[in-house]
Amino acid sequence: MAHLPSIYNNRSLSRTFSKNLPKYFTFDEVKQILTENLREKNYKAYFLCLFLWNTGARISEALSVKVSDIDLLGKALQITTLKRQGHLRVIPLHNSFIGEIALWINQNELKRNSRVFAFTRQTGRNLVRSACSHAGINDERAHPHTFRHSFAINCLLQGVPITVLQEWLGHRDINKTLIYTKILAQDSRSFLENMKM
């Protein structure tokens, strides 16, 4: 993974001024959540958090994904955007995530028409809350949707064009996607510090 600006790890300006902007996990916090220890103790929570982090899916969208929506060879996932009736979006899957998906499918003996997650939204929220608590994150960010915001911030920091991110997130209106650039603008001190003057 590319070097991330220091703001992504300390968020000093973001915490001070972004009361009305989406809350997100820093890259370090995601690593804190997705530990080998969690993987061993609560694989269901681990895999759900990993899925949300790698796809930017809403929890309701993640719970509607079937095995047939995943193309392991093509390294892509098809998601039905529930907020836009009939809209399908395709999200590329990172190599490191492909093996984990295959393991989950095999361990749970899922068939092609099986849902990837056979539990309710409330169970999903509880699993995420448990994973966050395990990592010492017990604030309002301990929620599945925080992974969606974190995915978006990470994509922008890695250079994903805003229009591509809009499609990956399933936003009809690009202004909903542009909200993430406001977070980066408030965390802009490190960009200035890295500039040659």
Side-chain angles (χ1 to χ4, degrees):
M1 184 161 292
H3 171 71
L4 298 174
S6 61
I7 52 96
Y8 191 52
N9 291 323
N10 67 33
R11 303 188 316 168
S12 55
L13 292 177
S14 170
R15 285 186 186 272
T16 306
F17 297 114
S18 65
K19 303 263 188 278
N20 296 321
L21 294 177
K23 306 293 186 237
Y24 63 97
F25 299 123
T26 66
F27 185 71
D28 284 347
E29 286 172 327
V30 172
K31 287 196 300 187
Q32 245 177 275
I33 295 167
L34 296 173
T35 62
E36 192 60 33
N37 188 269
L38 177 66
R39 190 175 190 275
E40 290 172 7
K41 289 187 173 180
N42 190 346
Y43 188 57
K44 189 185 289 187
Y46 174 87
F47 184 75
L48 175 61
C49 292
L50 188 67
F51 187 95
L52 296 172
W53 165 242
N54 275 272
T55 65
R58 299 171 179 94
I59 186 67
S60 53
E61 293 170 342
L63 296 180
S64 70
V65 170
K66 293 184 176 179
V67 173
S68 58
D69 295 322
I70 302 169
D71 180 356
L72 292 176
L73 291 178
K75 301 175 185 175
L77 167 70
Q78 178 179 275
I79 290 183
T80 302
T81 305
L82 297 179
K83 292 198 171 185
R84 292 172 64 186
Q85 193 170 15
H87 180 263
L88 294 174
R89 65 190 196 267
V90 176
I91 300 169
L93 299 174
H94 198 276
N95 286 336
S96 62
F97 187 43
I98 295 292
E100 205 69 52
I101 294 174
L103 178 64
W104 175 265
I105 290 170
N106 289 334
Q107 277 192 358
N108 291 282
E109 300 179 351
L110 301 178
K111 307 298 181 203
R112 186 166 169 73
N113 63 345
S114 300
R115 286 192 304 138
V116 173
F117 299 105
F119 48 76
T120 65
R121 286 175 65 164
Q122 188 56 51
T123 298
R125 285 191 194 104
N126 291 340
L127 288 169
V128 169
R129 196 175 298 119
S130 171
C132 289
S133 179
H134 190 262
I137 299 169
N138 295 303
D139 56 34
E140 73 279 1
R141 294 176 303 144
H143 190 279
H145 211 71
T146 308
F147 279 102
R148 179 171 167 83
H149 299 320
S150 306
F151 170 83
I153 293 291
N154 188 42
C155 286
L156 289 177
L157 286 170
Q158 302 282 347
V160 174
I162 195 76
T163 51
V164 173
L165 180 59
Q166 176 189 10
E167 180 56 32
W168 288 355
L169 292 174
H171 288 159
R172 184 191 311 271
D173 182 357
I174 196 161
N175 287 316
K176 289 191 174 181
T177 319
L178 286 169
I179 192 76
Y180 298 108
T181 64
K182 292 184 180 180
I183 294 172
L184 295 183
Q186 292 194 355
D187 281 336
S188 61
R189 182 187 308 277
S190 71
F191 296 117
L192 180 64
E193 288 171 355
N194 290 329
M195 285 174 58
K196 293 182 180 175
M197 302 293 278

